[in-house]
Amino acid sequence: MTTILWLKALHIAFMVAWFAGIFYLPRLFVYHAESDNTEVHSQLKIMERRLLYFVTPFALLTLILGVALIYMMGYQWFIVSSWLHIKLALVAILFAYHGYCFKLLADFQHDRNTKSGKFYRIYNELPVLILFAVIILAVLKPGI
């Protein structure tokens, strides 16, 4: 049981670090999309790249530790935990979101962004909604 608690604690810690980054990155994209200043663009390009590459290992560690938790809990537990299947679907959406951030980063890096600040403001809200749902599922474990 101690191993499972350590895995949970580390899973949550890396998830928090990952989310800090994916909450802030689209905010940088908002500033970038709304600025006409080339010096600001140059600084934001550096910040965006560093941030995305900094938080990506946290995303991977969150995933690895989550898989380890599922493994430790056992196959039978996994099969009957329907709440977990929904949570995993939401996590898959988050990884797609994270991957799309690389595409958006490349667009900014090559001065090809065509999206507005409003798009990035809305884009910034998606992980918040998913985080709420994931926490509710993980804590309440509803028998869906």
Side-chain angles (χ1 to χ4, degrees), residues 20-55:
I22 63 171
F23 285 162
Y24 188 50
L25 182 63
R27 179 56 47 187
L28 292 176
F29 290 161
V30 169
Y31 301 145
H32 201 150
E34 293 181 348
S35 173
D36 293 328
N37 186 319
T38 56
E39 289 179 20
V40 170
H41 285 194
S42 295
Q43 184 62 42
L44 287 170
K45 285 178 183 181
I46 293 166
M47 293 172 68
E48 292 158 355
R49 187 184 74 249
R50 286 181 179 171
L51 179 60
L52 186 55
Y53 283 94
F54 179 73
V55 300

Side-chain angles (χ1 to χ4, degrees), residues 59-130:
L60 296 174
L61 287 166
T62 300
L63 178 65
I64 290 165
L65 290 164
V67 170
L69 277 166
I70 292 169
Y71 177 79
M72 293 290 291
M73 295 301 288
Y75 181 73
Q76 289 303 317
W77 173 84
F78 175 75
I79 294 301
V80 298
S81 299
S82 56
W83 65 270
L84 180 61
H85 302 159
I86 297 167
K87 178 187 171 196
L88 291 174
L90 292 171
V91 169
I93 292 169
L94 284 170
F95 271 91
Y97 178 97
H98 188 106
Y100 189 62
C101 284
F102 279 99
K103 189 260 189 237
L104 297 172
L105 176 72
D107 288 346
F108 278 116
Q109 296 293 311
H110 297 101
D111 299 317
R112 327 183 275 245
N113 176 55
T114 59
K115 296 174 178 29
S116 68
K118 184 177 180 178
F119 168 84
Y120 291 110
R121 289 177 199 284
I122 294 167
Y123 187 72
N124 195 32
E125 301 305 320
L126 181 63
V128 175
L129 299 173
I130 293 175

